[in-house]
Amino acid sequence: MRNKPFIVIMAGGIGSRFWPFSRNNYPKQFLDILGTGRTLIQMTYDRYVKIAGPDHFFVVTNEQYVNLVKEQLPDISEEQILAEPVRRNTATCVAYASYKIQKENPEAKVILTPSDHLIINQEEFQEKINLALEAAEKEPHLITIGVKPNRPETGYGYIQFIDKTHDSEIKKVKTFTEKPTLKLAEKFLESGDFVWNTMMYVWKNKSIIHAFEKYMPEVAEVFEEGREFYGTEKEPQFIKRAYTLVKNTTLDYGIMEKAEEVYTVIGDFGWSDLGSWMSIHELQPQDDNQNVVEANAMLYDTSNSYIKVSPNKLVVVQGLDNYLVNESDNVLLICKLDAENKFREFVADARNKGEGFV
């Protein structure tokens, strides 16, 4: 199994845009959001386990979620769960995993993936991953997985590529763009040289280590000092100290936007980042009025809405269009379905009411 890639699952987020269903102590990656019988992190594990085997996984998560990972992924060992003492965004998360893998196998390849995305066409996805693994052979190439956009989505990041060879599925990356305005997203779609950024990456571990040394040397220096501690009982103590020394930065901002040898493998395999209630609404079965109903409900003059309430209650809804109605434990939320930009405000204000509400 030494020649198999390592799979690094990033699972430390709190899923605030799925509040109140997703809570601080039980965030969205540990929930069966799609009603499949498997949580999102379990679906992510299932997606990659045939590629690498259980012993080649690392899950990077906040220390408060370690027991949830153990419970939901019983085939991986405790040593494969990298517990973050505080949240420091994706650059630090990736640095921790990369320097730990470097000690275990300096020649390793790595697949980096979020824990909470959906992929529908598994066979097509597997083909793109294999293509990315081949492309990653050449150092210092960093490979992203891009998805052909089918709408001017403002909730995703975008990758612009250079189309030197029209028939090639591997393109040189020109720029990264964070979530654009609708007008800009429409221009991206029209141009034909932008893809959605899935936040999935493939590389030789040497390549990402080199990138940290070049573009984030302060982070590289911190985690390089931990070489003697990785895999020992002193690792947690070292990591607590290391996380106090690095800043809160995304991988894209810290490295990918600056690196020169970045390429994207473009696919069309039915991907969603499941980033909001709206994205789930688009995926779930709808009635004749484009409502998703997960409740014992009576709807009147209601359309384009998502009703998710315990079946123990009868819910009567009249006159709503583009609304979310969700009751989870001790919170009832009623808001516009497309109001995902308001959720940070909702959660912050709810915290002021008491920690038990978030």
Side-chain angles (χ1 to χ4, degrees), residues 159-296:
I159 299 169
Q160 184 182 24
F161 59 84
I162 301 170
D163 195 8
K164 290 183 177 179
T165 53
H166 293 283
D167 58 346
S168 173
E169 295 176 281
I170 304 173
K171 309 286 189 183
K172 185 83 163 56
V173 170
K174 184 177 181 181
T175 61
F176 285 82
T177 303
E178 290 298 313
K179 299 172 183 178
T181 63
L182 178 59
K183 187 174 182 179
L184 191 55
E186 289 171 343
K187 289 183 178 179
F188 288 172
L189 196 65
E190 291 171 6
S191 74
D193 59 355
F194 282 83
V195 291
W196 287 332
N197 183 2
T198 66
M199 296 297 295
M200 291 183 281
Y201 302 98
V202 181
W203 43 56
K204 269 191 171 181
N205 202 56
K206 282 183 178 180
S207 298
I208 194 64
I209 293 287
H210 173 75
F212 272 107
E213 291 171 346
K214 185 174 181 179
Y215 302 108
M216 300 188 75
E218 70 288 354
V219 174
E221 182 178 355
V222 168
F223 284 95
E224 179 62 36
E225 290 177 358
R227 177 182 290 271
E228 64 181 291
F229 303 118
Y230 299 129
T232 74
E233 61 183 14
K234 294 183 178 180
E235 182 177 332
Q237 182 181 350
F238 166 76
I239 289 300
K240 285 185 187 298
R241 176 178 174 272
Y243 269 63
T244 67
L245 299 175
V246 294
K247 57 187 178 182
N248 190 31
T249 307
T250 67
L251 181 70
D252 280 356
Y253 180 78
I255 290 179
M256 304 306 291
E257 293 178 10
K258 300 179 176 72
E260 296 176 359
E261 295 299 321
V262 181
Y263 295 81
T264 184
V265 170
I266 302 172
D268 187 10
F269 37 76
W271 170 84
S272 171
D273 77 342
L274 301 179
S276 65
W277 287 105
M278 175 71 86
S279 64
I280 302 295
H281 177 269
E282 293 171 352
L283 292 165
Q284 297 288 62
Q286 300 176 2
D287 66 15
D288 292 342
N289 294 308
Q290 290 73 56
N291 298 304
V292 173
V293 181
E294 297 178 26
N296 183 11

Side-chain angles (χ1 to χ4, degrees), residues 19-309:
W19 181 81
F21 188 43
S22 175
R23 301 292 182 98
N24 281 347
N25 63 347
Y26 221 100
K28 98 175 187 188
Q29 61 268 31
F30 301 108
L31 299 172
D32 179 11
I33 286 203
L34 297 172
T36 64
R38 298 285 278 174
T39 66
L40 295 183
I41 194 171
Q42 288 173 328
M43 292 173 67
T44 302
Y45 174 82
D46 295 344
R47 189 174 303 139
Y48 291 101
V49 70
K50 292 181 180 178
I51 298 174
D55 60 336
H56 270 51
F57 278 78
F58 282 111
V59 178
V60 191
T61 191
N62 189 274
E63 58 185 15
Q64 75 178 105
Y65 305 140
V66 167
N67 287 334
L68 285 173
V69 176
K70 288 182 186 178
E71 175 188 325
Q72 296 198 4
L73 301 180
D75 291 339
I76 72 171
S77 69
E78 186 169 354
E79 290 70 30
Q80 293 169 261
I81 303 171
L82 309 189
E84 297 185 290
V86 292
R87 292 182 174 88
R88 283 291 183 267
N89 223 310
T90 50
T92 307
C93 156
V94 174
Y96 181 11
S98 301
Y99 281 87
K100 188 173 174 71
I101 290 169
Q102 183 187 44
K103 182 174 180 179
E104 187 162 334
N105 179 2
E107 301 301 320
K109 288 182 185 175
V110 176
I111 300 171
L112 176 70
T113 180
S115 59
D116 51 6
H117 291 186
L118 172 69
I119 290 168
I120 295 172
N121 189 335
Q122 300 293 336
E123 290 186 7
E124 173 72 11
F125 176 70
Q126 179 69 64
E127 289 179 11
K128 301 307 178 187
I129 287 293
N130 289 339
L131 188 61
L133 287 167
E134 291 177 16
E137 278 285 354
K138 188 174 181 180
E139 300 175 39
H141 286 189
L142 305 175
I143 312 301
T144 74
I145 306 296
V147 167
K148 296 176 182 177
N150 57 22
R151 62 185 185 277
E153 175 62 56
T154 59
Y156 296 159
Y158 285 73
I159 299 169
Q160 184 182 24
F161 59 84
I162 301 170
D163 195 8
K164 290 183 177 179
T165 53
H166 293 283
D167 58 346
S168 173
E169 295 176 281
I170 304 173
K171 309 286 189 183
K172 185 83 163 56
V173 170
K174 184 177 181 181
T175 61
F176 285 82
T177 303
E178 290 298 313
K179 299 172 183 178
T181 63
L182 178 59
K183 187 174 182 179
L184 191 55
E186 289 171 343
K187 289 183 178 179
F188 288 172
L189 196 65
E190 291 171 6
S191 74
D193 59 355
F194 282 83
V195 291
W196 287 332
N197 183 2
T198 66
M199 296 297 295
M200 291 183 281
Y201 302 98
V202 181
W203 43 56
K204 269 191 171 181
N205 202 56
K206 282 183 178 180
S207 298
I208 194 64
I209 293 287
H210 173 75
F212 272 107
E213 291 171 346
K214 185 174 181 179
Y215 302 108
M216 300 188 75
E218 70 288 354
V219 174
E221 182 178 355
V222 168
F223 284 95
E224 179 62 36
E225 290 177 358
R227 177 182 290 271
E228 64 181 291
F229 303 118
Y230 299 129
T232 74
E233 61 183 14
K234 294 183 178 180
E235 182 177 332
Q237 182 181 350
F238 166 76
I239 289 300
K240 285 185 187 298
R241 176 178 174 272
Y243 269 63
T244 67
L245 299 175
V246 294
K247 57 187 178 182
N248 190 31
T249 307
T250 67
L251 181 70
D252 280 356
Y253 180 78
I255 290 179
M256 304 306 291
E257 293 178 10
K258 300 179 176 72
E260 296 176 359
E261 295 299 321
V262 181
Y263 295 81
T264 184
V265 170
I266 302 172
D268 187 10
F269 37 76
W271 170 84
S272 171
D273 77 342
L274 301 179
S276 65
W277 287 105
M278 175 71 86
S279 64
I280 302 295
H281 177 269
E282 293 171 352
L283 292 165
Q284 297 288 62
Q286 300 176 2
D287 66 15
D288 292 342
N289 294 308
Q290 290 73 56
N291 298 304
V292 173
V293 181
E294 297 178 26
N296 183 11
M298 297 164 51
L299 305 187
Y300 303 88
D301 308 315
T302 294
S303 58
N304 305 302
S305 295
Y306 193 160
I307 317 296
K308 183 178 177 65
V309 177

Side-chain angles (χ1 to χ4, degrees), residues 13-28 31 64-65 87 328-331 343-358:
I14 60 174
S16 61
R17 286 184 292 170
F18 272 101
W19 181 81
F21 188 43
S22 175
R23 301 292 182 98
N24 281 347
N25 63 347
Y26 221 100
K28 98 175 187 188
L31 299 172
Q64 75 178 105
Y65 305 140
R87 292 182 174 88
S328 296
D329 297 327
N330 57 349
V331 177
F343 271 72
R344 288 189 185 278
E345 182 181 346
F346 293 164
V347 172
D349 290 345
R351 184 174 289 109
N352 291 332
K353 294 284 188 181
E355 285 294 330
F357 296 118
V358 294

Side-chain angles (χ1 to χ4, degrees), residues 325-339:
V325 178
N326 175 245
E327 182 184 50
S328 296
D329 297 327
N330 57 349
V331 177
L332 172 64
L333 173 66
I334 304 171
C335 68
K336 288 288 189 179
L337 182 58
D338 59 1

